[in-house]
Amino acid sequence: MEDVTFEKLKSLKLNSVEFSEWQVDAEKSFPVLKKLYISRCDKVMEIPDSFGDIASLELIIVWGSPQLRNSTFSIKEYVEEMTGEDKLEIRSDRASAYKFSRH
């Protein structure tokens, strides 16, 4: 996927994918992405850090993939550090646990 650019893609949904490593230059591949949905992706070990470089990204939703918790909040913290704003919303099936474990 490194050489592919989805110039108009605003929403990406991954459901039950079978790969464990996801290597992508997200800013280059998804330049206008606003929403990332990940559902039941048990084998995916982390969301690539490069998603934090997508200026248009507003929302990450993770359902049924608790192993992605750390990378999700690492991306959120990175965006906050880079922009000085809390502009990236995180939602999950364990939102309350995420909210409290972050502090």
Side-chain angles (χ1 to χ4, degrees):
M1 252 174 87
E2 292 176 20
D3 297 330
V4 179
T5 300
F6 299 93
E7 295 176 11
K8 297 181 181 182
L9 186 70
K10 293 184 180 181
S11 179
L12 175 63
K13 182 174 184 177
L14 301 177
N15 187 16
S16 302
V17 297
E18 293 295 319
F19 55 81
S20 60
E21 287 187 42
W22 187 10
Q23 297 179 359
V24 63
D25 181 347
E27 182 181 28
K28 180 180 175 189
S29 295
F30 310 111
V32 297
L33 190 72
K34 290 185 175 198
K35 299 174 185 170
L36 173 63
Y37 301 91
I38 301 175
S39 176
R40 295 186 209 112
C41 293
D42 299 333
K43 295 183 180 181
V44 178
M45 290 294 101
E46 66 181 8
I47 300 169
D49 293 338
S50 61
F51 275 90
D53 294 322
I54 302 174
S56 57
L57 189 63
E58 300 171 349
L59 174 65
I60 298 175
I61 298 175
V62 178
W63 254 227
S65 305
Q67 78 282 6
L68 299 177
R69 184 182 117 195
N70 289 341
S71 62
T72 301
F73 279 103
S74 291
I75 292 168
K76 180 172 177 60
E77 289 174 356
Y78 173 76
V79 169
E80 287 177 15
E81 288 174 14
M82 296 305 292
T83 65
E85 300 176 44
D86 183 10
K87 68 175 211 147
L88 180 59
E89 182 180 351
I90 304 294
R91 292 187 201 161
S92 84
D93 51 350
R94 301 179 63 131
S96 61
Y98 286 5
K99 184 177 180 180
F100 293 111
S101 67
R102 191 172 160 241
H103 298 288

